[in-house]
Amino acid sequence: MNAFNFKLGSVPYLNARPLTDWFSETEEGRALGASVEYILPSLLAPRLEPGDFAAGLVSSVAWVRRPQLVYAPGVAVACDGPVRSVRLFSQVPIAKIRRVALDTSSLTSVTLTRVLLEERFGLTPEYTPMAPDLESMLQDHDAALLIGDKGYLDYDASLTVLDLGEAWKEWTNLPFVFALWIGRPDLLTPELQRHFLTAKEWGTAHLDEVAARRAAEHGESLERAQAYFSRAIVYNLGEREEAGLQLFAQKVRAHGLIQNPVPIQSAR
């Protein structure tokens, strides 16, 4: 890969910014000439196989579903408890959910919703993909999944809320990995992996700065953005996160939610 002028893709949410801002906001990052295009995960994932991007910070299930892709070690958007931005909002108790509207911008969270409702809660609801608008979603559905910045908003306090990160942790006692840097093996080079680690180290050391720069454009107050970064999101991909990722992949396959099951592999 050319050391300069390469293209990256990323999900367009606030939680991605500590992993991407280094490329645009630091002299070292800008010197690489990388551009970052922010795209919904459901639209970004299909563009990785053709090599439209050197790598994409995209839903973890995109890697599970694509055996020819690998992920960069050491970096993730994960949680080890409540994630606060991936939530199921229900008009009825969880046990009574029969119809669920699923955010069409999502990949991993849609799959996680199905795994949790069907395996942990013993439910077999009807699922309908819909644009992420809670009022419209709940007109004909018991519950609605929202992710990212919309999932983090405050809504009607009368709704029952299931935080998917919290539900996964209570069920498995493991973190959940929502997004990874994913790409083709020939493009996700060791050099690029080192840049991702550098970007993570800078971002996690400057969370308040990232929050101050990005909160308003994502519709959040500075205080809520700071709390989100410091209390909800984990950016490391260590042994426990790897174990959570592997378990999720196994669950996805067991539920028949992907084709062509493949062994787990990183770009190491």
Side-chain angles (χ1 to χ4, degrees), residues 240-253:
R240 294 186 67 249
E241 289 78 22
E242 291 267 10
L245 178 62
Q246 179 170 350
L247 180 59
F248 175 60
Q250 293 171 354
K251 297 290 186 185
V252 171
R253 293 167 185 147

Side-chain angles (χ1 to χ4, degrees), residues 38-62:
Y38 293 91
I39 313 171
L40 293 175
S42 57
L43 301 178
L44 173 56
R47 297 181 62 183
L48 297 177
E49 292 175 66
D52 291 355
F53 301 100
L57 182 61
V58 69
S59 304
S60 57
V61 79

Side-chain angles (χ1 to χ4, degrees), residues 96-149:
K96 295 185 177 181
I97 291 175
R98 298 294 178 266
R99 302 190 71 217
V100 180
L102 299 172
D103 188 335
T104 51
S105 60
S106 168
L107 289 178
T108 292
S109 301
V110 162
T111 308
L112 178 59
T113 298
R114 295 187 60 167
V115 169
L116 287 171
L117 291 182
E118 294 171 22
E119 188 165 346
R120 182 181 177 189
F121 295 100
L123 304 176
T124 55
E126 174 188 339
Y127 300 103
T128 306
M130 291 189 68
D133 177 82
L134 187 63
E135 182 177 356
S136 298
M137 296 168 92
L138 292 179
Q139 285 181 358
D140 296 309
H141 297 82
D142 300 317
L145 170 71
L146 290 175
I147 72 166
D149 299 342

